[in-house]
Amino acid sequence: MPGLPPHIGIDRPGSFSRSVFHERHPVLIANLLGDHPYPPHIAEALEALLAESLAGTVPPRTPGGPEIHTWHLETEAHAGLPWDSLPFLWAESYFYRRILRAVEYHHYDSPWCGVDPFAPQKRAQLDGPELRADLDAYAALEGAHPDDRRRALLLAALWGNQADLGFRTDNPDASTSAGEIVADDSDALWALADGPGDAPVIVVADNAGREITADLALVDHLLETGTGPVELHLKPHPYFVSDATGRDVLDTLDVLDRDPHEPVRGLAGRLRDAIRLGWLRLRAHGAYVHPTDYRTIPSDLADDFATAKLVILKGDLNYRRLVGDRQWDPTTPFSEAAGYFPGPVAALRTAKSDLAVGVDPARLAKLDADAPDWRLTGTRAFIQVKA
Ligand SMILES: O=P(O)(O)OC[C@H]1O[C@](O)(CO)[C@@H](O)[C@@H]1O
């Protein structure tokens, strides 16, 4: 779009975005082949996709699945281009769409139809010791001062974003503890969420597992302290490795139900009641798996965003789609980069890609001097608000 910085690409040797394709994706495909007894034709399709994405061009064939018209137009606009020349956001999104095609996720007459290729990895996190520790910490909040509890729930949802499984594919030992918050507009976030009226607060979820668990605890708090309903927006089908779908929310509630801590079981019970009573609305929308940024969201979703009290966007990918996955000067004000968004919006994100906006110039200089890879390690976080 005119007036915006150029897209981040995957062509530059040594760049993070290129490493996602050349280092992370080979591990990702190997994990899929290890996790499932795929028959030869599916294994071959996954290996061919990997080879194509490393050295080939975009074929003219539209990848199957829902919203075929959108994908037809997107494919037409990029067919014949070398993968190397594609914008990072588009290429990654298309890659995951093609994974679903390769594993026959949308093929109604395939036994693999509806089998989430990432389910084993998601399940492992739901059964893991880190989630156990998160739930112990949640239970320990019982009786905390309301301000401390509120802050703890917000920070859990923020740092929960470190736990995305795509990032962990080639960073298995990455830090899982809280780090530095580079921008903290949390007062503005609460001022909007606590505002009067019965318009919903929308939480656009990111990852399953530890992150959605923390998000559900935050949603419960928003329901308790707010004056309107809450909408939790989910992916309509598997997408980037650990993106949360409706199935993942139900699996998470089952885990919470079985927890030894009463406050955790109580959380699950309140959430189930809220869903039944319509206070918590679970929603999915095809736009969340489009290969484009939120400047081009369909008008029905834009209308929902415009009339919400606040939209909370979780995670790095939503951040890339919100501000545009572009070579922004990191000191560009967040309100400028996200100024087009149709309503009040808050981004909660740990930095796991080159993109950053809204960084104070002195802080940027220090970050760049102290830890040149600070944008990529998931150890720096952002809470940014455009009212
Ligand atoms: O789960 P999140 O926070 O959206 O992050 C997605 C991850 O995948 C990437 O798109 C790279 O594969 C990065 O943006 C980030 O590391």
Side-chain angles (χ1 to χ4, degrees):
M1 277 189 199
L4 294 172
H7 287 288
I8 293 175
I10 55 175
D11 52 338
R12 197 165 51 82
S15 63
F16 163 74
S17 46
R18 190 173 174 79
S19 79
V20 167
F21 279 76
H22 288 258
E23 290 163 34
R24 186 175 295 181
H25 287 177
V27 181
L28 186 159
I29 297 295
N31 287 346
L32 289 180
L33 295 175
D35 283 346
H36 301 273
Y38 285 133
H41 72 281
I42 291 187
E44 280 158 23
L46 286 169
E47 275 157 1
L49 169 62
L50 179 63
E52 180 196 303
S53 70
L54 296 180
T57 55
V58 175
R61 206 177 45 250
T62 305
E67 297 204 274
I68 201 72
H69 185 61
T70 300
W71 280 99
H72 180 69
L73 295 178
E74 290 294 334
T75 308
E76 203 171 50
H78 295 85
L81 295 175
W83 277 75
D84 270 5
S85 70
L86 299 170
F88 180 35
L89 177 67
W90 197 93
E92 247 193 320
S93 194
Y94 176 70
F95 180 79
Y96 284 99
R97 179 79 176 194
R98 291 280 305 277
I99 286 182
L100 292 192
R101 182 183 179 86
V103 302
E104 302 181 345
Y105 184 82
H106 294 298
H107 292 206
Y108 190 62
D109 54 0
S110 165
W112 297 95
C113 180
V115 177
D116 180 348
F118 304 114
Q121 297 180 56
K122 291 173 172 175
R123 269 199 301 271
Q125 200 182 76
L126 272 186
D127 291 339
E130 291 173 330
L131 183 69
R132 279 252 46 77
D134 293 348
L135 296 178
D136 291 347
Y138 177 81
L141 282 178
E142 196 78 345
H145 186 281
D147 293 345
D148 296 340
R149 180 178 160 79
R150 166 173 267 209
R151 179 79 183 158
L153 292 172
L154 183 68
L155 293 186
L158 176 67
W159 290 109
N161 180 242
Q162 267 184 338
D164 96 71
L165 293 168
F167 173 63
R168 287 181 177 275
T169 298
D170 57 348
N171 297 292
D173 302 323
S175 165
T176 55
S177 51
E180 175 184 356
I181 301 182
V182 175
D184 187 354
D185 294 341
S186 47
D187 289 345
L189 181 153
W190 290 121
L192 289 162
D194 290 342
D198 58 6
V201 172
I202 297 177
V203 177
V204 181
D206 189 10
N207 296 293
R210 294 179 68 200
E211 183 169 6
I212 198 74
T213 305
D215 293 344
L216 287 168
L218 180 65
V219 161
D220 175 63
H221 177 76
L222 291 167
L223 285 166
E224 185 191 332
T225 57
T227 53
V230 175
E231 290 187 8
L232 183 62
H233 287 203
L234 301 154
K235 304 293 187 301
H237 55 65
Y239 188 42
F240 284 40
V241 181
S242 47
D243 274 295
T245 63
R247 166 84 264 159
D248 296 316
V249 168
L250 298 179
D251 288 348
T252 305
L253 291 179
D254 288 346
V255 167
L256 301 185
D257 277 338
R258 293 194 298 269
D259 195 80
H261 300 297
E262 194 285 319
V264 175
R265 296 196 302 278
L267 168 66
R270 286 193 301 279
L271 290 168
R272 285 185 196 279
D273 287 346
I275 295 169
R276 286 195 185 97
L277 294 167
W279 301 331
L280 171 55
R281 305 174 193 152
L282 303 184
R283 289 194 50 201
H285 197 293
Y288 291 124
V289 291
H290 285 176
T292 43
D293 67 35
Y294 289 143
R295 282 181 174 77
T296 59
I297 41 170
S299 57
D300 61 328
L301 190 56
D303 289 347
D304 290 346
F305 287 164
T307 50
K309 208 180 266 187
L310 170 66
V311 178
I312 299 176
L313 289 176
K314 291 294 317 288
D316 201 54
L317 180 61
N318 274 321
Y319 192 83
R320 291 166 62 193
R321 299 191 70 201
L322 170 66
V323 302
D325 200 34
R326 294 169 179 273
Q327 298 169 34
W328 289 100
D329 174 341
T331 63
T332 309
F334 179 76
S335 57
E336 185 183 318
Y340 75 91
F341 198 79
V345 62
L348 297 187
R349 164 246 187 178
T350 59
K352 290 172 290 180
S353 65
D354 279 318
L355 180 62
V357 297
V359 186
D360 168 74
R363 189 153 202 168
L364 178 66
K366 186 160 168 34
L367 282 165
D368 284 343
D370 292 351
D373 64 348
W374 68 270
R375 301 177 192 211
L376 307 176
T377 53
T379 54
R380 306 303 192 293
F382 291 72
I383 302 173
Q384 290 172 307
V385 171
K386 188 237 19 148

